Amino acid sequence: MLAAVIVAVALGAVYVPLATSFRIVLSRLPLLGRMVEATWTPTQETIIVSVRLPRVLLALLVGMGLALAGAIFQGLFRNPMADPSIIGSSQGAALGATVAFFFGIKAGLGGLTSVPLFAFAGSLLAVLAVYAIARVGGRASIASLLLVGIALSSFLASIVSLLMVVSEDRMHNIFFWLMGGLGTGNWDMVLAVLPFIAVGAAAALLLARDLNLLMLGEERAAQLGLETERFKWTMIAVASLVVGAAVSVSGIIGFVGLMTPHIVRLLTGPDHRFLIPGSILGGGLFLVLADTLARTVIAPNELPVGIVTAFFGAPFFIYLLRRSRQQTA
């Protein structure tokens, strides 16, 4: 992971040697920084510290968050096709960001602009709406959450499309945000996302054993002592906060949350005590590599990272569909 981060900060439109990049990063670490002699230029330090390092760390955190949420949702819904957008969080974030663009809202908070703030709020409101609609008689079944999530996502997507059509002058900004990208990544975003990913990962690791119980079915899990309704709400809240934080600073980046848990599951098996930490590390590594490719393959221009992840994710998704059909045939 550290090697991938160092390679990622070294590569770009202006190449900075790997050894120099490593020494610059090392110089910023507490205690170790005093042991490193500064032999690089101020320009190289600015490129690494102010531009590339926050972007790479943001890619690492977003990838971790999306893969973590994917692993949780796939276990919670017992559906291998579940991903972070399945209960409307991604489309809610998309609508929030689109509203910020559409009305030209400039107000920010703590170094963040209105777009990530509105995207985060939209994501949480969408999940709350799905849970409220799906809940009948004090409980929300898995099937109801899935169906309501899909329906609400389609509804929110239609509103996003409508706003794009009627706001031609801002369609370019909305379109590129929806394609996903980390080009605006900065230290404020890293510090804003970090607590959500850290707390979400810690909670998921603590509850991984209960997630294994739920995989046996709600009735069986309840017989074994799991309070299924409270547990489902807890896991949905954890995953939704993580997704909302990640999507708010990156836009819609597909397939990371879908395919990373599948790849890790092939290596570790279905036990969430190993699947969750493996997905966190795998998702972070995948998005760091994808973002590095996105900003170097046609340098000095760059591709939206969502294109790169979809380029590799779509064939894998087709593979999953074919494999699923072969197993049920």
Side-chain angles (χ1 to χ4, degrees):
M1 185 70 75
L2 178 62
V5 170
I6 298 301
V7 171
V9 298
L11 297 179
V14 177
Y15 174 68
V16 179
L18 284 174
T20 302
S21 300
F22 178 70
R23 290 167 61 83
I24 292 174
V25 173
L26 199 63
S27 71
R28 292 290 171 157
L29 298 179
L31 302 178
L32 296 177
R34 297 179 179 180
M35 302 169 62
V36 181
E37 182 181 356
T39 58
W40 50 84
T41 67
T43 301
Q44 289 176 322
E45 182 169 359
T46 299
I47 291 173
I48 297 298
V49 176
S50 301
V51 179
R52 292 183 187 166
L53 187 57
R55 174 170 179 163
V56 171
L57 292 179
L58 192 64
L60 184 69
L61 292 172
V62 170
M64 287 179 167
L66 294 177
L68 168 62
I72 291 175
F73 283 134
Q74 287 174 12
L76 192 62
F77 294 115
R78 301 193 296 280
N79 186 333
M81 300 304 173
D83 71 359
S85 65
I86 196 165
I87 58 171
S89 54
S90 293
Q91 286 301 333
L95 179 58
T98 302
V99 168
F101 281 122
F102 183 81
F103 291 103
I105 300 173
K106 301 296 183 184
L109 180 66
L112 298 177
T113 64
S114 60
V115 173
L117 294 175
F118 273 66
F120 182 69
S123 175
L124 296 188
L125 289 174
V127 173
L128 288 174
V130 167
Y131 192 81
I133 297 170
R135 191 175 186 185
V136 177
R139 65 185 301 273
S141 67
I142 295 295
S144 295
L145 286 169
L146 277 171
L147 293 173
V148 174
I150 293 170
L152 187 67
S153 293
S154 299
F155 177 68
L156 297 178
S158 69
I159 298 176
V160 171
S161 299
L162 175 64
L163 292 177
M164 290 178 66
V165 170
V166 299
S167 63
E168 294 182 356
D169 57 330
R170 297 186 176 93
M171 181 182 290
H172 181 80
N173 292 333
I174 298 172
F175 180 72
F176 269 87
W177 191 91
L178 293 177
M179 293 179 71
L182 297 158
T184 59
N186 55 48
W187 285 111
D188 289 328
M189 290 182 175
V190 172
L191 295 177
V193 171
L194 178 60
F196 291 97
I197 306 299
V199 173
L205 290 171
L206 287 173
L207 298 172
R209 192 180 184 88
D210 292 339
L211 199 55
N212 287 340
L213 289 179
L214 195 66
M215 291 289 291
L216 301 174
E218 289 189 59
E219 185 176 347
R220 180 59 177 158
Q223 291 173 349
L224 293 173
L226 180 66
E227 295 185 28
T228 56
E229 195 60 27
R230 179 182 298 178
F231 178 72
K232 283 189 298 184
W233 170 239
T234 302
M235 295 308 290
I236 288 173
V238 168
S240 300
L241 285 171
V242 169
V243 173
V247 174
S248 67
V249 296
S250 66
I252 308 297
I253 298 178
F255 293 104
V256 178
L258 174 65
M259 75 177 195
T260 304
H262 278 291
I263 295 173
V264 176
R265 193 176 287 109
L266 293 174
L267 299 174
T268 67
D271 190 336
H272 287 85
R273 292 174 297 175
F274 307 105
L275 176 61
I276 286 176
S279 297
I280 292 172
L281 294 176
L285 178 62
F286 174 64
L287 196 54
V288 166
L289 296 177
D291 183 57
T292 303
L293 185 63
R295 60 185 171 79
T296 57
V297 68
I298 57 170
N301 298 315
E302 63 178 72
L303 294 170
V305 69
I307 292 178
V308 178
T309 58
F311 182 81
F312 292 102
F316 187 76
F317 187 75
I318 294 171
Y319 159 74
L320 288 177
L321 287 176
R322 289 183 58 83
R323 183 183 176 187
S324 176
R325 287 183 178 182
Q326 289 172 353
Q327 288 177 343
T328 55

